[in-house]
Amino acid sequence: MTVVRTSVQPPYAAHLRVYEPLAAYPGPERARWQAYAAEHGPDAAEAARPVAEAVLEEQREALAELVGRTPRALPERESERAYLRVVDGVLYVCPWATRLRSWQALEELRAGAPVALLDTAVPPVARAAAEADRERWLAEHPDARPWILTSRWEVPVRWFLPFGEEDRCFVPSGESGEPGESGEGEQGETRPAALFYLTPMAQARRRVARAYRALREAVPDGELVVGAEQVGRWLEEFHPRSLVELDYGGLVHLLGPERLLADRSAGELEEGLRALRAGDAVEALRMYGELTVRWRRVLALRYAN
């Protein structure tokens, strides 16, 4: 495949990903991912290595679809590519599942965009065809679920529930995350900053379950209770020895290095929940309020001129 190079920055979007161990995939699929990793996998992957370059490659592939001789709003075939991590000698795979995610993005667009804009971006005939394709595909794949969730212009507070401060990894701009590299990418490009959290699935599930119990007892009708249940149900869909990653993605370009360096959102939410379990509802509410207000200010930037 020819890789399309572009100077376009990644969209202001964050991603919640699950990497399943290779052993979790059925035989034929396992063999395919093993061969894919042999060709595309990192030479010396580490838990502290960001996947920013692979994210850019995914975006370039999507842009190539749009600028082709026959532009397509949605891919005709499911992607055969994935994000890869190797931790303690174990290969973990997070399939892009671009087609499935495109259908979900179309649903979000239909729910939130004005009709005139929606009809311009994706004409009704194209939407109808995409819906028909989706129904046929889901009938053949009833257990399908995305390995990647995407949020534009913010990191939803509920996404921090699976993580602790010790899972945080900040790689400043110009650093590759690997010893001995200069920080310069291809064609002399400096690697951008990256901020992500990475934790084992078992730890992620425990944290979400504990948070859900505490929140349900203290604020049963709260927004975060619903969010904890949603995240918990999604995590249950995957292999128990998977990895869970929260990647700030393109938001690093929106927040800037100083705010990234100072950001401790997962740790703050963890402290707030600790206060809630200790019976200090005032302190828990204060910390949760500060966290949500900060991210709402980031979300508000989508309306900036």
Side-chain angles (χ1 to χ4, degrees), residues 21-58:
L22 185 63
Y25 294 89
E29 194 173 356
R30 185 186 313 153
R32 179 167 63 86
W33 288 129
Q34 194 165 22
Y36 177 85
E39 182 179 356
H40 301 281
D43 296 329
E46 299 175 355
R49 179 176 182 174
V51 295
E53 292 180 30
V55 172
L56 281 174
E57 197 167 335
E58 182 183 11

Side-chain angles (χ1 to χ4, degrees), residues 49 62 96-97 123 129 136 150 164 173 215 218 254 273 287 293 299 301-302:
R49 179 176 182 174
W96 286 4
R136 285 193 295 269
T150 297
S173 175
L215 290 164
L254 182 66
L273 289 168
M287 299 200 71
V293 167
L299 180 62
L301 293 175
R302 65 181 171 180

Side-chain angles (χ1 to χ4, degrees), residues 258-280:
E258 292 184 3
R259 293 172 72 179
L260 288 174
L261 185 61
D263 187 282
R264 293 292 187 280
S265 294
E268 290 175 25
L269 182 58
E270 195 174 33
E271 289 178 20
L273 289 168
R274 194 178 299 118
L276 187 64
R277 286 192 289 268
D280 191 348

Side-chain angles (χ1 to χ4, degrees), residues 45 81 179-180 251 253 275 289 305:
R81 308 196 66 188
L251 289 181
H253 304 287
N305 189 329

Side-chain angles (χ1 to χ4, degrees), residues 29 32-33 58 61 65 74-81 95-103 137 141 144-147:
E29 194 173 356
R32 179 167 63 86
W33 288 129
E58 182 183 11
E61 187 172 290
E65 292 276 348
L74 300 175
E76 292 182 349
R77 294 178 297 276
E78 187 54 276
S79 173
E80 296 184 352
R81 308 196 66 188
W96 286 4
T98 309
R99 197 167 189 231
L100 176 58
R101 289 161 58 208
S102 295
W103 281 322
W137 190 85
H141 305 82
R145 73 279 194 261
W147 286 262

